[in-house]
Amino acid sequence: MPDLPDDLLRRLQEDSEEQLRRYADVRERLANLTVTVSSPDGGVEVTAASGGAIRGVRISESVMRHGPGVLSHVILSTIQAAGAKVALETATVVQSLTGERMDIVGLVRSSIPEEALPPEDDR
């Protein structure tokens, strides 16, 4: 008959080590996570990192002809869309730790204004 306390301790240690590996994997994936979103006309492109940090903004010459009011709206909308997309992707990575116990992606999606959500095929 196996020594139950030793067997239980071994299994707990293996489970803990596996959980730590999963945390390290998630931490690495989040550290490297970036998304790039373009405005509908492609004139503005925004790159955002996990946590919502804006890493880059590209503005094409063609969108500059719209004037400052339209341009600022397009830039802001694209930044919001990039933030929403990176938040959803971050939630997807974190969801891998919780499994089905908690709907992290659903919680994040419900907190994002509808107009900022990326198109269905980008989710």
Side-chain angles (χ1 to χ4, degrees):
M1 185 164 149
D3 188 17
L4 292 178
D6 286 344
D7 189 44
L8 179 61
L9 184 60
R10 182 187 50 75
R11 280 187 279 140
L12 286 172
Q13 183 174 356
E14 288 171 358
D15 290 348
S16 295
E17 289 170 357
E18 175 61 25
Q19 190 68 24
L20 287 172
R21 280 192 292 276
R22 291 175 62 209
Y23 285 137
D25 177 58
V26 165
R27 187 174 37 249
E28 183 178 340
R29 288 169 59 195
L30 292 177
N32 296 315
L33 178 65
T34 61
V35 300
T36 300
V37 174
S38 296
S39 61
D41 66 356
V44 174
E45 184 179 271
V46 174
T47 300
S50 182
I54 302 302
R55 299 287 184 191
V57 177
R58 183 195 57 79
I59 302 169
S60 72
E61 294 272 336
S62 64
V63 78
M64 301 265 257
R65 67 178 164 21
H66 294 298
V70 171
L71 180 59
S72 64
H73 174 74
V74 172
I75 292 169
L76 183 58
S77 296
T78 308
I79 288 172
Q80 290 171 335
K85 185 172 182 178
V86 80
L88 289 169
E89 292 204 18
T90 298
T92 300
V93 171
V94 173
Q95 185 78 56
S96 70
L97 287 177
T98 65
E100 295 181 12
R101 293 178 302 197
M102 185 176 223
D103 184 10
I104 304 292
V105 175
L107 289 169
V108 169
R109 181 175 287 123
S110 70
S111 70
I112 298 172
E114 187 65 35
E115 63 274 6
L117 286 171
E120 194 67 39
D121 59 349
D122 286 350
R123 290 187 200 168

